[in-house]
Amino acid sequence: MSELDVLCIGNAIVDIIARAEDDFLHENTIIKGAMNLIDADRAELLYDRMGPAVETSGGSAGNTAAGVASLGGAAAFFGKVADDHLGGIYRHDIRAQGVAFDTKPLAGPPPTARSMIFVTPDGERSMNTYLGACVELGPEDIEEDKVAGSKVTFFEGYLWDPPRAKDAIRMAADIAHANGRKMSMTLSDPFCVDRYRDEFLDLMRSGAVDIVFANEEEAKSLYQTGDFETALEAMRADCDIAVVTRSEKGSIAMTSRETASVSAFEIDNLVDTTGAGDLYAAGFLWGYTQDRSLEDCAHLGSLAASVVIQQIGPRPQVSLRQAAIDAGLLKG
């Protein structure tokens, strides 16, 4: 059995990223800062209306896997693409990042998922996602040897949208825990939390998930409170490790006995927030698999997030390991 640091499970999506003004979002009834699920017709409409774009492999958990690999970790990914042009792009891109990706592609329709991402001048991203082949991810795509061999299996909350993926995640959790491994998830999006609040809380409280990532809005949405401290303490009680990111305010990582509050890294230029939370999770989880302290894990997460928001696209274009060395977080 090969030893992996982090196995990520998520929606395999090709991101199509373009700049846009706030007026464009309003005119096209796009909810700013959220992930909006769309059908094939709307995907085609928005693609026709968007300006010059960059196509890159994305998807929340896939971005996290790429981040782990960029730090020098052993990473793998489960996600469903179709046997089509975009599926080929996705498969090539994630493997080129150093991530093991062997999920069997879908032979017929629907096509590979794509997300039209509009980046406004403030760096905020608004995602419009056609899930396509993603919805076909199921228990048959869970490679037991990789789950059993991974220190942490991480999945995105967005997977609760396609129905069969839930069964796949529960299967992975059983395998991971039977082998003494950990399960982790990200809440993904406040609207995603609204859709699946009770199920997410059950995953946490039942012990199916050990490590949970959220941003401030997602944490407050999960507990239906406007008070951040109330949400924090509730999260602390509901899972082994709770991690809450707060953009420029830094992040807080908690266990029942310990709290680590760290600052965000200073950046030169905010370009695009796409992938910030995904890369934070990559840094944190890689640190966790290396037995680093809670505070060190949070610093590594902040560093990885700070790198990706200074570029277009959600996958690191420079070595995160070298960035961590330069920042004094790792030895050369």
Side-chain angles (χ1 to χ4, degrees), residues 198-330:
D198 291 343
E199 290 178 74
F200 286 175
L201 286 170
D202 181 65
L203 286 171
M204 295 160 63
R205 291 167 177 168
S206 68
V209 172
D210 308 290
I211 306 167
V212 179
F213 293 86
N215 64 28
E216 192 168 345
E217 290 308 309
E218 291 156 5
K220 289 192 289 188
S221 174
L222 183 65
Y223 295 102
Q224 296 179 285
T225 178
D227 182 65
F228 181 56
E229 293 298 327
T230 298
L232 274 185
E233 290 310 308
M235 269 193 81
R236 185 202 299 273
D238 280 343
C239 50
D240 289 350
I241 301 176
V243 187
V244 181
T245 57
R246 308 184 72 195
S247 300
E248 69 278 1
K249 298 176 188 173
S251 62
I252 299 172
M254 304 171 293
T255 67
S256 61
R257 303 169 303 282
E258 182 184 359
T259 300
S261 182
V262 306
S263 301
F265 274 78
E266 289 188 15
I267 61 171
D268 295 324
N269 186 28
L270 174 61
V271 175
D272 173 15
T273 59
T274 308
D278 308 333
L279 270 294
Y280 182 98
F284 188 99
L285 289 175
W286 180 79
Y288 177 82
T289 64
Q290 306 308 302
D291 298 320
R292 302 294 291 259
S293 69
L294 205 61
E295 186 173 351
D296 281 354
C297 292
H299 278 305
L300 284 162
S302 291
L303 182 277
S306 75
V307 170
V308 82
I309 65 176
Q310 296 185 79
Q311 63 171 53
I312 286 285
R315 304 255 168 108
Q317 295 166 12
V318 299
S319 165
L320 290 182
R321 186 172 189 84
Q322 188 58 53
I325 291 170
D326 293 344
L329 298 179
L330 298 178

Side-chain angles (χ1 to χ4, degrees), residues 34-81:
M35 193 281 283
N36 309 281
L37 287 176
I38 59 175
D39 59 20
D41 290 340
R42 180 147 172 84
E44 192 171 317
L45 174 72
L46 290 178
Y47 185 77
D48 287 343
R49 291 182 178 179
M50 74 193 309
V54 174
E55 292 186 359
T56 179
S57 296
S60 178
N63 297 337
T64 299
V68 171
S70 186
L71 280 160
F77 177 69
F78 297 167
K80 204 74 168 176
V81 297

Side-chain angles (χ1 to χ4, degrees), residues 14 29 71 75 99:
V14 175
T29 61
L71 280 160
V99 177

Side-chain angles (χ1 to χ4, degrees), residues 35-231:
M35 193 281 283
N36 309 281
L37 287 176
I38 59 175
D39 59 20
D41 290 340
R42 180 147 172 84
E44 192 171 317
L45 174 72
L46 290 178
Y47 185 77
D48 287 343
R49 291 182 178 179
M50 74 193 309
V54 174
E55 292 186 359
T56 179
S57 296
S60 178
N63 297 337
T64 299
V68 171
S70 186
L71 280 160
F77 177 69
F78 297 167
K80 204 74 168 176
V81 297
D83 190 10
D84 57 15
H85 174 65
L86 286 182
I89 289 175
Y90 191 95
R91 193 161 45 247
H92 171 270
D93 282 359
I94 196 162
R95 287 175 175 171
Q97 296 266 359
V99 177
F101 176 45
D102 301 304
T103 307
K104 186 178 179 181
L106 192 65
T112 297
R114 71 288 314 264
S115 182
M116 271 64 69
I117 301 177
F118 298 96
V119 182
T120 39
D122 57 3
E124 186 62 85
R125 81 279 187 269
S126 305
M127 299 177 287
N128 303 267
T129 303
Y130 168 58
L131 289 176
C134 283
V135 302
E136 299 302 324
L137 182 76
E140 69 277 8
D141 296 306
I142 297 299
E143 300 164 55
E144 184 171 350
D145 60 331
K146 285 193 174 121
V147 180
S150 299
K151 295 175 185 174
V152 178
T153 294
F154 170 81
F155 68 94
E156 58 189 78
Y158 289 136
L159 277 184
W160 248 242
D161 284 314
R164 297 180 66 243
K166 297 181 185 183
D167 295 332
I169 292 301
R170 291 191 175 101
M171 177 180 173
D174 288 343
I175 296 167
H177 288 138
N179 286 274
R181 307 300 196 171
K182 297 295 185 181
M183 285 294 292
S184 177
M185 74 173 293
T186 174
L187 298 186
S188 292
D189 182 297
F191 295 94
C192 187
V193 174
D194 285 341
R195 292 193 292 274
Y196 305 111
R197 179 177 294 104
D198 291 343
E199 290 178 74
F200 286 175
L201 286 170
D202 181 65
L203 286 171
M204 295 160 63
R205 291 167 177 168
S206 68
V209 172
D210 308 290
I211 306 167
V212 179
F213 293 86
N215 64 28
E216 192 168 345
E217 290 308 309
E218 291 156 5
K220 289 192 289 188
S221 174
L222 183 65
Y223 295 102
Q224 296 179 285
T225 178
D227 182 65
F228 181 56
E229 293 298 327
T230 298

